[in-house]
Coordinates of all heavy atoms in Angstrom, one line a residue:
M1 N -42.4 -24.2 -37.2 CA -41.8 -23.2 -38.1 C -40.3 -23.5 -38.3 O -39.6 -23.7 -37.3 CB -42.0 -21.8 -37.4 CG -41.4 -20.7 -38.3 SD -41.2 -19.0 -37.6 CE -42.5 -18.9 -36.5
D2 N -39.9 -23.4 -39.5 CA -38.5 -23.6 -39.8 C -37.8 -22.3 -40.2 O -38.4 -21.5 -40.9 CB -38.3 -24.6 -41.0 CG -38.7 -26.0 -40.5 OD1 -38.6 -26.3 -39.4 OD2 -39.1 -26.8 -41.4
I3 N -36.6 -22.1 -39.7 CA -35.8 -21.0 -40.0 C -34.6 -21.4 -40.8 O -33.9 -22.3 -40.3 CB -35.4 -20.2 -38.8 CG1 -36.6 -19.8 -37.9 CG2 -34.5 -19.0 -39.1 CD1 -36.2 -19.3 -36.6
K4 N -34.3 -20.9 -41.9 CA -33.2 -21.3 -42.7 C -31.9 -20.8 -42.0 O -31.8 -19.6 -41.6 CB -33.2 -20.8 -44.1 CG -34.3 -21.4 -44.9 CD -34.2 -21.0 -46.4 CE -35.3 -21.7 -47.1 NZ -34.9 -22.3 -48.3
K5 N -30.9 -21.6 -41.9 CA -29.7 -21.3 -41.2 C -28.9 -20.2 -42.0 O -28.2 -19.4 -41.4 CB -28.8 -22.5 -41.1 CG -29.3 -23.4 -40.0 CD -28.4 -24.6 -39.8 CE -29.0 -25.6 -38.8 NZ -28.2 -26.7 -38.6
A6 N -29.1 -20.1 -43.3 CA -28.5 -19.0 -44.1 C -29.1 -17.7 -43.6 O -28.3 -16.7 -43.5 CB -28.8 -19.2 -45.6
N7 N -30.4 -17.6 -43.3 CA -30.9 -16.4 -42.8 C -30.4 -16.0 -41.4 O -30.1 -14.8 -41.2 CB -32.5 -16.5 -42.7 CG -33.1 -16.6 -44.1 OD1 -32.5 -16.2 -45.1 ND2 -34.3 -17.1 -44.2
V8 N -30.2 -17.0 -40.6 CA -29.6 -16.8 -39.3 C -28.2 -16.3 -39.5 O -27.7 -15.3 -38.8 CB -29.6 -18.1 -38.4 CG1 -28.8 -17.8 -37.1 CG2 -31.0 -18.5 -38.2
N9 N -27.4 -16.9 -40.3 CA -26.0 -16.4 -40.6 C -26.0 -15.0 -41.1 O -25.1 -14.2 -40.8 CB -25.3 -17.3 -41.6 CG -24.9 -18.6 -40.9 OD1 -24.7 -18.7 -39.7 ND2 -24.8 -19.7 -41.7
L10 N -27.0 -14.6 -42.0 CA -27.0 -13.3 -42.5 C -27.3 -12.3 -41.4 O -26.7 -11.2 -41.3 CB -28.1 -13.2 -43.6 CG -28.4 -11.8 -44.2 CD1 -27.1 -11.4 -45.0 CD2 -29.6 -11.9 -45.1
L11 N -28.3 -12.6 -40.5 CA -28.6 -11.8 -39.4 C -27.4 -11.6 -38.5 O -27.1 -10.5 -38.0 CB -29.8 -12.4 -38.6 CG -30.2 -11.6 -37.4 CD1 -30.7 -10.2 -37.8 CD2 -31.3 -12.4 -36.7
L12 N -26.7 -12.7 -38.2 CA -25.5 -12.6 -37.3 C -24.5 -11.7 -37.9 O -23.8 -11.0 -37.3 CB -25.0 -14.0 -37.0 CG -25.9 -14.9 -36.1 CD1 -25.3 -16.2 -36.0 CD2 -26.1 -14.3 -34.8
G13 N -24.3 -11.8 -39.3 CA -23.4 -11.0 -40.0 C -23.7 -9.5 -39.8 O -22.8 -8.6 -39.6
K14 N -25.0 -9.2 -40.0 CA -25.4 -7.8 -39.8 C -25.2 -7.3 -38.4 O -24.8 -6.1 -38.2 CB -26.9 -7.6 -40.2 CG -27.3 -8.0 -41.6 CD -26.7 -6.9 -42.5 CE -27.2 -7.3 -43.9 NZ -26.7 -6.3 -44.9
I15 N -25.4 -8.1 -37.4 CA -25.1 -7.7 -36.0 C -23.7 -7.5 -35.8 O -23.2 -6.5 -35.2 CB -25.7 -8.8 -35.0 CG1 -27.2 -8.8 -35.1 CG2 -25.2 -8.5 -33.6 CD1 -27.8 -10.0 -34.4
R16 N -22.8 -8.3 -36.4 CA -21.4 -8.2 -36.3 C -20.9 -6.8 -36.9 O -20.1 -6.1 -36.4 CB -20.7 -9.4 -37.0 CG -19.2 -9.2 -37.1 CD -18.4 -9.1 -35.8 NE -18.6 -10.2 -35.0 CZ -18.3 -10.2 -33.7 NH1 -17.9 -9.1 -33.1 NH2 -18.4 -11.3 -33.0
I17 N -21.5 -6.5 -38.1 CA -21.1 -5.2 -38.7 C -21.5 -4.1 -37.8 O -20.8 -3.1 -37.7 CB -21.8 -5.1 -40.1 CG1 -21.2 -6.1 -41.1 CG2 -21.8 -3.7 -40.7 CD1 -22.0 -6.3 -42.4
Y18 N -22.7 -4.1 -37.2 CA -23.2 -3.1 -36.3 C -22.2 -2.9 -35.1 O -21.8 -1.8 -34.8 CB -24.6 -3.4 -35.8 CG -25.0 -2.4 -34.8 CD1 -25.4 -1.1 -35.1 CD2 -25.1 -2.8 -33.4 CE1 -25.8 -0.2 -34.1 CE2 -25.5 -1.9 -32.5 CZ -25.9 -0.6 -32.8 OH -26.3 0.3 -31.8
L19 N -21.8 -4.1 -34.5 CA -20.9 -4.0 -33.3 C -19.6 -3.5 -33.7 O -19.0 -2.7 -33.0 CB -20.8 -5.4 -32.7 CG -22.0 -5.9 -31.9 CD1 -21.8 -7.3 -31.3 CD2 -22.4 -4.9 -30.8
D20 N -19.1 -3.9 -34.9 CA -17.8 -3.4 -35.3 C -17.8 -1.9 -35.7 O -16.7 -1.3 -35.6 CB -17.3 -4.2 -36.5 CG -16.9 -5.6 -36.2 OD1 -16.7 -5.9 -35.0 OD2 -16.8 -6.5 -37.1
S21 N -18.9 -1.4 -36.0 CA -19.0 0.0 -36.4 C -19.1 1.0 -35.2 O -19.1 2.2 -35.4 CB -20.1 0.3 -37.4 OG -21.4 0.1 -36.7
Q22 N -19.2 0.5 -34.0 CA -19.3 1.3 -32.8 C -18.0 2.0 -32.5 O -16.9 1.5 -32.8 CB -19.7 0.4 -31.6 CG -21.1 -0.2 -31.7 CD -22.2 0.8 -31.9 OE1 -22.3 1.7 -31.1 NE2 -23.0 0.6 -32.9
P23 N -18.1 3.2 -32.0 CA -16.9 4.0 -31.6 C -16.1 3.3 -30.5 O -16.7 2.5 -29.8 CB -17.4 5.3 -31.2 CG -18.8 5.2 -30.9 CD -19.3 4.0 -31.7
Q24 N -14.8 3.5 -30.5 CA -13.9 2.8 -29.5 C -14.4 3.1 -28.1 O -14.2 2.2 -27.2 CB -12.5 3.3 -29.7 CG -11.8 2.8 -30.9 CD -11.7 1.3 -30.9 OE1 -11.5 0.7 -29.9 NE2 -11.8 0.7 -32.1
S25 N -14.9 4.3 -27.8 CA -15.4 4.6 -26.4 C -16.5 3.6 -26.0 O -16.5 3.3 -24.8 CB -15.8 6.0 -26.3 OG -16.9 6.2 -27.2
R26 N -17.3 3.2 -26.9 CA -18.4 2.3 -26.5 C -17.9 0.8 -26.4 O -18.5 0.0 -25.7 CB -19.6 2.3 -27.5 CG -20.3 3.6 -27.5 CD -21.5 3.6 -28.3 NE -22.7 3.4 -27.5 CZ -23.9 3.2 -27.9 NH1 -24.1 3.1 -29.2 NH2 -24.9 3.1 -27.1
K27 N -16.9 0.5 -27.1 CA -16.3 -0.9 -27.1 C -15.7 -1.3 -25.8 O -15.4 -2.4 -25.6 CB -15.4 -1.0 -28.3 CG -16.0 -1.0 -29.6 CD -15.0 -1.3 -30.7 CE -15.7 -1.3 -32.1 NZ -14.8 -1.6 -33.2
K28 N -15.4 -0.3 -24.9 CA -14.8 -0.6 -23.7 C -15.8 -0.9 -22.6 O -15.4 -1.4 -21.5 CB -13.9 0.6 -23.2 CG -12.8 0.9 -24.2 CD -12.0 2.1 -23.7 CE -10.9 2.4 -24.7 NZ -10.2 3.6 -24.4
G29 N -17.1 -0.8 -22.8 CA -18.1 -1.0 -21.8 C -18.4 -2.5 -21.6 O -18.1 -3.3 -22.4
K30 N -18.9 -2.8 -20.4 CA -19.2 -4.2 -20.0 C -20.3 -4.8 -20.9 O -20.2 -5.9 -21.4 CB -19.7 -4.2 -18.6 CG -19.9 -5.6 -18.1 CD -20.3 -5.6 -16.6 CE -20.6 -7.0 -16.1 NZ -21.0 -7.0 -14.7
R31 N -21.3 -4.0 -21.3 CA -22.4 -4.5 -22.1 C -21.9 -4.8 -23.5 O -22.3 -5.8 -24.1 CB -23.5 -3.4 -22.2 CG -24.3 -3.2 -20.9 CD -25.3 -2.2 -21.0 NE -26.4 -2.6 -22.0 CZ -27.3 -1.8 -22.5 NH1 -27.3 -0.5 -22.1 NH2 -28.2 -2.2 -23.3
F32 N -21.0 -4.0 -24.1 CA -20.4 -4.3 -25.4 C -19.6 -5.6 -25.3 O -19.8 -6.5 -26.2 CB -19.6 -3.2 -25.9 CG -19.0 -3.5 -27.2 CD1 -19.7 -3.2 -28.4 CD2 -17.7 -4.1 -27.4 CE1 -19.2 -3.4 -29.6 CE2 -17.2 -4.3 -28.6 CZ -18.0 -4.0 -29.8
I33 N -18.8 -5.8 -24.3 CA -18.0 -7.0 -24.2 C -18.9 -8.2 -24.1 O -18.6 -9.3 -24.8 CB -17.0 -6.9 -23.0 CG1 -16.0 -5.8 -23.3 CG2 -16.3 -8.2 -22.7 CD1 -15.2 -5.4 -22.1
E34 N -20.0 -8.2 -23.3 CA -20.9 -9.3 -23.2 C -21.6 -9.6 -24.5 O -21.8 -10.7 -24.9 CB -21.9 -9.0 -22.1 CG -21.3 -9.1 -20.7 CD -22.3 -8.7 -19.6 OE1 -23.5 -8.5 -20.0 OE2 -21.9 -8.6 -18.5
A35 N -22.0 -8.5 -25.2 CA -22.7 -8.7 -26.5 C -21.7 -9.3 -27.5 O -22.1 -10.2 -28.3 CB -23.2 -7.4 -27.0
D36 N -20.5 -8.9 -27.5 CA -19.5 -9.5 -28.4 C -19.2 -10.9 -28.1 O -19.2 -11.8 -29.1 CB -18.2 -8.7 -28.3 CG -17.2 -8.9 -29.4 OD1 -17.7 -9.0 -30.6 OD2 -16.0 -9.0 -29.2
K37 N -19.1 -11.3 -26.9 CA -19.0 -12.7 -26.5 C -20.2 -13.6 -26.9 O -20.0 -14.7 -27.5 CB -18.7 -12.9 -25.0 CG -17.4 -12.4 -24.6 CD -17.2 -12.6 -23.1 CE -15.9 -12.1 -22.6 NZ -15.8 -12.2 -21.1
A38 N -21.4 -13.1 -26.7 CA -22.6 -13.8 -27.1 C -22.7 -14.0 -28.6 O -23.0 -15.1 -29.0 CB -23.8 -13.1 -26.5
L39 N -22.3 -12.9 -29.3 CA -22.3 -13.0 -30.8 C -21.3 -14.0 -31.3 O -21.6 -14.8 -32.2 CB -22.1 -11.7 -31.4 CG -22.2 -11.6 -32.9 CD1 -23.5 -12.1 -33.4 CD2 -21.9 -10.2 -33.4
A40 N -20.1 -14.1 -30.6 CA -19.1 -15.0 -31.0 C -19.6 -16.4 -30.8 O -19.3 -17.3 -31.6 CB -17.8 -14.7 -30.2
R41 N -20.3 -16.7 -29.7 CA -20.8 -18.0 -29.4 C -21.8 -18.4 -30.5 O -21.9 -19.6 -31.0 CB -21.4 -18.1 -28.0 CG -20.4 -18.3 -27.0 CD -21.1 -18.6 -25.6 NE -20.6 -17.6 -24.7 CZ -21.3 -16.8 -23.9 NH1 -22.6 -16.8 -23.9 NH2 -20.7 -15.9 -23.1
L42 N -22.7 -17.5 -30.8 CA -23.7 -17.8 -31.9 C -23.1 -18.0 -33.2 O -23.5 -18.9 -34.0 CB -24.7 -16.6 -31.9 CG -25.7 -16.6 -30.8 CD1 -26.5 -15.3 -30.9 CD2 -26.6 -17.8 -30.8
E43 N -22.1 -17.2 -33.6 CA -21.4 -17.4 -34.8 C -20.7 -18.8 -34.9 O -20.7 -19.5 -35.9 CB -20.4 -16.3 -35.1 CG -21.0 -15.0 -35.4 CD -20.0 -13.9 -35.4 OE1 -18.9 -14.0 -34.8 OE2 -20.3 -12.8 -36.1
K44 N -20.1 -19.2 -33.8 CA -19.5 -20.5 -33.7 C -20.5 -21.6 -33.9 O -20.3 -22.6 -34.5 CB -18.7 -20.6 -32.4 CG -18.0 -21.9 -32.3 CD -17.2 -22.0 -31.0 CE -16.5 -23.3 -30.8 NZ -15.8 -23.4 -29.5
M45 N -21.7 -21.4 -33.3 CA -22.7 -22.5 -33.3 C -23.3 -22.6 -34.7 O -23.6 -23.7 -35.2 CB -23.9 -22.1 -32.4 CG -24.9 -23.1 -32.3 SD -26.4 -22.7 -31.3 CE -25.9 -21.5 -30.1
F46 N -23.4 -21.5 -35.5 CA -24.0 -21.6 -36.8 C -23.0 -21.6 -38.0 O -23.4 -21.5 -39.1 CB -25.0 -20.5 -37.0 CG -26.2 -20.6 -36.1 CD1 -26.4 -19.8 -35.0 CD2 -27.1 -21.6 -36.3 CE1 -27.5 -19.9 -34.2 CE2 -28.2 -21.7 -35.5 CZ -28.4 -20.8 -34.4
A47 N -21.7 -21.6 -37.7 CA -20.7 -21.5 -38.7 C -20.7 -22.7 -39.6 O -20.7 -23.9 -39.2 CB -19.3 -21.4 -38.1
D48 N -20.7 -22.4 -40.9 CA -20.6 -23.5 -42.0 C -21.6 -24.6 -41.8 O -21.4 -25.7 -42.1 CB -19.2 -24.1 -42.0 CG -18.1 -23.1 -42.3 OD1 -18.4 -22.1 -43.0 OD2 -17.0 -23.2 -41.7
K49 N -22.8 -24.2 -41.4 CA -23.9 -25.2 -41.4 C -25.0 -24.8 -42.4 O -25.2 -23.7 -42.6 CB -24.5 -25.3 -40.0 CG -23.6 -25.8 -38.9 CD -24.3 -25.9 -37.6 CE -23.4 -26.4 -36.5 NZ -24.1 -26.5 -35.2
E50 N -25.5 -25.8 -43.0 CA -26.6 -25.6 -44.0 C -27.8 -26.3 -43.6 O -27.8 -27.2 -42.7 CB -26.1 -26.0 -45.4 CG -25.0 -25.2 -45.9 CD -24.6 -25.6 -47.3 OE1 -25.3 -26.4 -47.9 OE2 -23.5 -25.2 -47.7
G51 N -28.9 -26.0 -44.2 CA -30.2 -26.7 -43.9 C -31.1 -25.8 -43.1 O -31.2 -24.6 -43.4
Q52 N -31.9 -26.3 -42.2 CA -32.9 -25.5 -41.5 C -32.9 -25.9 -40.0 O -32.5 -27.0 -39.6 CB -34.3 -25.8 -42.1 CG -34.5 -25.4 -43.5 CD -35.9 -25.5 -43.9 OE1 -36.7 -26.3 -43.3 NE2 -36.3 -24.8 -45.0
L53 N -33.3 -24.9 -39.3 CA -33.4 -25.1 -37.8 C -34.9 -25.2 -37.5 O -35.7 -24.6 -38.2 CB -32.9 -23.9 -37.1 CG -31.4 -23.6 -37.1 CD1 -31.2 -22.3 -36.4 CD2 -30.7 -24.7 -36.4
Q54 N -35.2 -26.0 -36.6 CA -36.6 -26.1 -36.2 C -36.8 -25.3 -34.9 O -36.1 -25.5 -33.9 CB -37.0 -27.6 -35.9 CG -38.4 -27.7 -35.5 CD -38.8 -29.2 -35.3 OE1 -37.9 -30.0 -35.2 NE2 -40.1 -29.5 -35.1
L55 N -37.7 -24.4 -34.9 CA -38.0 -23.5 -33.8 C -39.0 -24.2 -32.9 O -40.1 -24.5 -33.4 CB -38.5 -22.2 -34.2 CG -38.7 -21.1 -33.2 CD1 -37.3 -20.8 -32.5 CD2 -39.2 -19.8 -33.8
V56 N -38.7 -24.5 -31.7 CA -39.5 -25.2 -30.8 C -39.8 -24.3 -29.6 O -38.9 -23.6 -29.1 CB -38.8 -26.5 -30.3 CG1 -39.7 -27.3 -29.3 CG2 -38.4 -27.4 -31.5
A57 N -41.1 -24.4 -29.1 CA -41.4 -23.6 -27.9 C -40.6 -24.0 -26.7 O -40.2 -25.1 -26.5 CB -42.9 -23.7 -27.6
C58 N -40.3 -23.0 -25.9 CA -39.5 -23.2 -24.7 C -40.2 -24.1 -23.7 O -41.4 -23.9 -23.4 CB -39.1 -21.9 -24.0 SG -37.8 -21.0 -24.9
R59 N -39.5 -25.0 -23.1 CA -39.9 -25.7 -21.9 C -38.7 -25.8 -21.0 O -37.6 -25.4 -21.3 CB -40.3 -27.1 -22.3 CG -41.6 -27.1 -23.1 CD -42.3 -28.5 -23.2 NE -41.4 -29.6 -23.0 CZ -41.6 -30.8 -23.6 NH1 -42.6 -31.0 -24.4 NH2 -40.8 -31.8 -23.4
G60 N -38.9 -26.2 -19.8 CA -37.9 -26.2 -18.8 C -36.7 -27.0 -19.2 O -35.5 -26.7 -18.9
D61 N -36.9 -28.1 -19.9 CA -35.8 -29.0 -20.3 C -35.4 -28.9 -21.8 O -34.6 -29.7 -22.2 CB -36.2 -30.5 -20.0 CG -37.5 -30.9 -20.7 OD1 -38.2 -30.0 -21.2 OD2 -37.7 -32.1 -20.8
Q62 N -36.0 -28.0 -22.5 CA -35.6 -27.8 -23.9 C -35.2 -26.4 -24.2 O -35.6 -25.5 -23.5 CB -36.8 -28.2 -24.8 CG -37.1 -29.6 -24.8 CD -38.2 -29.9 -25.8 OE1 -38.9 -29.0 -26.3 NE2 -38.4 -31.2 -26.1
H63 N -34.3 -26.3 -25.2 CA -33.9 -24.9 -25.7 C -34.8 -24.5 -26.8 O -35.4 -25.3 -27.5 CB -32.4 -25.0 -26.1 CG -31.5 -25.4 -25.0 ND1 -31.2 -24.6 -24.0 CD2 -30.8 -26.6 -24.8 CE1 -30.4 -25.3 -23.2 NE2 -30.1 -26.5 -23.7
V64 N -34.8 -23.2 -27.1 CA -35.6 -22.7 -28.2 C -35.1 -23.2 -29.6 O -35.9 -23.6 -30.4 CB -35.6 -21.1 -28.2 CG1 -36.4 -20.6 -29.4 CG2 -36.3 -20.7 -26.9
I65 N -33.8 -23.1 -29.8 CA -33.3 -23.5 -31.1 C -32.6 -24.8 -31.0 O -31.7 -25.0 -30.2 CB -32.3 -22.4 -31.6 CG1 -33.0 -21.1 -31.8 CG2 -31.7 -22.9 -32.9 CD1 -32.1 -20.0 -32.2
K66 N -33.0 -25.7 -31.8 CA -32.3 -27.0 -31.9 C -31.5 -27.1 -33.2 O -32.1 -26.8 -34.2 CB -33.3 -28.2 -31.7 CG -33.9 -28.3 -30.4 CD -34.7 -29.6 -30.3 CE -35.1 -29.8 -28.9 NZ -35.7 -31.1 -28.7
G67 N -30.3 -27.5 -33.2 CA -29.5 -27.6 -34.4 C -29.3 -29.0 -34.9 O -29.5 -30.0 -34.4

């Protein structure tokens, strides 16, 4: 199955909007900080890339998403 990277970027953008819309009291929590860091890593991984990703089943020595 192929996933278009544009769709992944759109999804990551929607998640970023959701995280940014959270009240300041929630932004101070450990879970929010971890989610923000993980999203930043994913945004960096998919930034300015075009084409398609191949979704591969997990195995011990392989990752789910190959770029």
Side-chain angles (χ1 to χ4, degrees):
M1 176 189 332
D2 290 334
I3 301 171
K4 292 190 181 226
K5 289 183 183 178
N7 293 338
V8 173
N9 286 332
L10 179 64
L11 178 63
L12 293 176
K14 297 290 183 178
I15 294 171
R16 172 60 62 198
I17 290 169
Y18 173 76
L19 288 178
D20 289 343
S21 68
Q22 296 300 309
Q24 288 296 329
S25 60
R26 290 188 105 185
K27 290 183 179 182
K28 295 178 183 177
K30 183 178 179 180
R31 289 178 67 193
F32 180 85
I33 293 170
E34 289 176 3
D36 194 41
K37 287 180 182 178
L39 182 61
R41 279 188 235 129
L42 287 171
E43 287 173 337
K44 184 178 178 183
M45 187 184 332
F46 293 108
D48 298 327
K49 293 183 180 179
E50 296 181 11
Q52 294 186 342
L53 292 174
Q54 183 179 7
L55 187 60
V56 180
C58 284
R59 290 194 336 210
D61 59 343
Q62 290 186 345
H63 300 288
V64 174
I65 299 176
K66 291 188 172 190

